[in-house]
Amino acid sequence: MEMNNDFAELQELKEQFNILNEKLEKQIIINETLIKESMKKKLSYVDRTYKMYKTAFVITTPLLIALLLLYKASMVLCIFVGLSLIVEMILYRKEYRKLNTKELMSLNHIEAVERVVTFKKNFKRNTIIMLIPGVILFVAFVGLVTGYKFEIGTVVLYLIFVLLALTYEFVRYKKMFSKLDSVLKQIEELRSE
């Protein structure tokens, strides 16, 4: 009789263990799904940022060149500006395509982490490189507008405008990198499950 009770208790424990195990597996699946949804949202910000840059490139490049021509800038400066903007767009496009946010979550965690880290590193490098033509353009544009009479008031006004624009871009970069750092953490969480 006692043996039947022990067997019944053992069966009951086994059933409880199976139920608990099923709940745990469902929880892991739910956690994985939630993590992937969160990653999609964060990566969609990166996609939106890239689309914003593409749109800005298409709109501002001809406007900037037209503005330079309006102020009778030399063709060399106009070509320099056009080429600088095209090179910048090519560099960013290349990095976004390598990152490939649509495919990122289907990769194994090592490849996914490698892509995100490489993207961040190259994006920073490209941004620093493209500051050089940006500074040249800024000085040339202020020179054109002021007739190469660099008056303090006008230069300060343009510097304030540039500082505001750079601050805006810095905040956007920081937000994008923050989202990418969060994606890296989530990739690690998926790996550990």
Side-chain angles (χ1 to χ4, degrees), residues 54 101 124 126:
K54 281 193 331 189
T101 58
K124 284 179 188 177
N126 293 345

Side-chain angles (χ1 to χ4, degrees), residues 54-64:
K54 281 193 331 189
T55 304
F57 169 77
V58 169
I59 293 170
T60 59
T61 301
L63 287 176
L64 191 56

Side-chain angles (χ1 to χ4, degrees), residues 3-162:
M3 194 167 206
N4 285 341
N5 279 344
D6 288 343
F7 184 73
E9 285 178 19
L10 188 59
Q11 279 300 107
E12 187 179 328
L13 282 173
K14 188 176 178 182
E15 287 174 16
Q16 288 176 353
F17 179 76
N18 286 338
I19 291 169
L20 186 61
N21 197 27
E22 285 176 23
K23 286 181 180 180
L24 186 59
E25 285 178 16
K26 286 179 185 176
Q27 184 65 32
I28 288 172
I29 292 170
I30 290 170
N31 282 346
E32 186 175 317
T33 304
L34 291 174
I35 289 172
K36 285 187 176 185
E37 285 300 315
S38 175
M39 286 173 65
K40 278 183 188 178
K41 286 179 184 175
K42 289 177 177 105
L43 291 171
S44 74
Y45 180 82
V46 175
D47 289 337
R48 285 191 314 272
T49 300
Y50 174 61
K51 287 175 185 171
M52 182 198 72
Y53 281 122
K54 281 193 331 189
T55 304
F57 169 77
V58 169
I59 293 170
T60 59
T61 301
L63 287 176
L64 191 56
I65 292 173
L67 186 64
L68 287 170
L69 290 173
L70 179 72
Y71 279 100
K72 297 180 175 61
S74 71
M75 280 308 248
V76 172
L77 181 60
C78 292
I79 290 170
F80 173 76
V81 168
L83 288 176
S84 296
L85 292 170
I86 290 169
V87 167
E88 182 177 16
M89 194 61 221
I90 289 170
L91 289 173
Y92 288 142
R93 182 174 186 228
K94 179 181 162 194
E95 294 311 318
Y96 280 106
R97 284 196 163 185
K98 277 190 216 173
L99 180 63
N100 193 355
T101 58
K102 306 285 186 254
E103 182 185 277
L104 194 65
M105 290 185 293
S106 64
L107 298 173
N108 70 49
H109 74 280
I110 293 173
E111 290 176 24
V113 167
E114 188 176 288
R115 276 194 189 181
V116 172
V117 169
T118 301
F119 173 82
K120 285 178 58 181
K121 181 181 80 170
N122 291 344
F123 195 88
K124 284 179 188 177
R125 180 200 64 216
N126 293 345
T127 301
I128 291 168
I129 289 171
M130 293 314 296
L131 279 176
I132 296 166
V135 169
I136 293 169
L137 173 62
F138 172 73
V139 171
F141 185 73
V142 171
L144 281 171
V145 171
T146 61
Y148 296 100
K149 299 174 191 160
F150 292 98
E151 297 170 3
I152 291 293
T154 308
V155 172
V156 169
L157 182 67
Y158 283 111
L159 280 174
I160 290 171
F161 174 75
V162 167

Side-chain angles (χ1 to χ4, degrees), residues 154-193:
T154 308
V155 172
V156 169
L157 182 67
Y158 283 111
L159 280 174
I160 290 171
F161 174 75
V162 167
L163 286 175
L164 289 173
L166 288 175
T167 302
Y168 172 77
E169 283 302 310
F170 177 76
V171 168
R172 287 193 63 79
Y173 287 164
K174 194 164 178 73
K175 186 175 180 181
M176 183 171 64
F177 286 171
S178 168
K179 291 191 181 287
L180 288 171
D181 288 339
S182 182
V183 166
L184 286 172
K185 287 178 187 173
Q186 290 174 324
I187 290 170
E188 289 301 317
E189 286 177 30
L190 286 175
R191 182 182 131 205
S192 65
E193 287 184 3

